[in-house]
Amino acid sequence: HPTTAEPFEYESSVAGIADNKTRKDYKYTYQQYLACTQCCDGCTSSIRHWFQNSAWPGMGLFGESYLLFSVGTLKPVWEMLYPDCWAGDDGDVCSTALLNSITLTLVVGVIVGMIVLGTIANQIGRRTGSIVTATLMTFGAVGMSVCSMLLSDNPSFLFGSMAILLFVFGIGVGGEYPLSAASANEKA
């Protein structure tokens, strides 16, 4: 790099030149050059940085939290849609253990994901571990959506499938926690 005070030649394409060649007749000091490039590149870099480090992870956290917290709020809706199932052991359709497993498997999945995927990510790397957790969460979320559309006629099979898919989703969520904590610690 040239010294900061002495002018140097900087090649720049100039609009309006018929043969689109560059001209070397612009003299800049190194400070002027840096000021110009930082102004132009800084805007797109800061937007890209914000999107990659704040907006995109925030959308992921919102989607994951939405699904996690919606299970409790959906129980009254499920009670209205499937009253025979939610009658508990008095009904013939769903057992109380099956209905309680919907919430329980999610919590157990989060615990298992923290322990297992957190440990495995140390071996396979944080990036690969993050891809695995995102894949598990996507599979669980899409699977629950498909199950709710296809299995709505058979509530015991629907809620059994939902419990299994919530466990898979919970493993992904639990695996994400140690990975994101380590990543945030490095960026701090």
Side-chain angles (χ1 to χ4, degrees):
H1 293 288
T3 62
T4 58
E6 67 181 296
F8 74 103
E9 293 181 354
Y10 172 69
E11 291 188 19
S12 173
S13 62
V14 178
I17 298 176
D19 56 0
N20 290 328
K21 292 185 180 178
T22 58
R23 294 178 54 185
K24 287 187 167 185
D25 59 355
Y26 290 104
K27 299 280 186 184
Y28 293 98
T29 66
Y30 192 63
Q31 291 164 334
Q32 290 169 331
Y33 170 71
L34 284 178
C36 178
T37 57
Q38 286 174 353
C39 175
C40 297
D41 294 338
C43 297
T44 57
S45 297
S46 64
I47 292 170
R48 184 179 313 126
H49 182 270
W50 173 81
F51 186 77
Q52 289 175 343
N53 294 324
S54 298
W56 189 247
M59 287 186 279
L61 184 62
F62 171 76
E64 156 192 324
S65 298
Y66 180 80
L67 200 134
L68 281 174
F69 298 125
S70 68
V71 172
T73 58
L74 285 175
K75 283 188 178 182
V77 174
W78 290 335
E79 288 175 6
M80 288 178 13
L81 290 174
Y82 305 104
D84 294 339
C85 187
W86 287 87
D89 289 330
D90 298 334
D92 296 332
V93 181
C94 301
S95 67
T96 306
L98 173 65
L99 299 177
N100 289 336
S101 70
I102 293 172
T103 305
L104 180 66
T105 56
L106 179 61
V107 173
V108 170
V110 170
I111 294 169
V112 169
M114 284 183 186
I115 295 168
V116 174
L117 286 179
T119 306
I120 290 174
N122 287 332
Q123 306 298 322
I124 63 175
R126 192 172 303 120
R127 177 173 166 71
T128 306
S130 295
I131 291 170
V132 169
T133 60
T135 303
L136 288 171
M137 287 188 293
T138 302
F139 177 76
V142 170
M144 284 185 279
S145 298
V146 169
C147 281
S148 65
M149 289 186 294
L150 299 178
L151 302 175
S152 61
D153 295 338
N154 188 351
S156 65
F157 196 62
L158 169 68
F159 292 119
S161 301
M162 294 276 267
I164 292 168
L165 290 168
L166 279 168
F167 178 74
V168 171
F169 183 80
I171 291 174
V173 170
E176 181 192 14
Y177 289 152
L179 293 173
S180 62
S183 179
N185 187 26
E186 285 181 353
K187 291 180 182 181

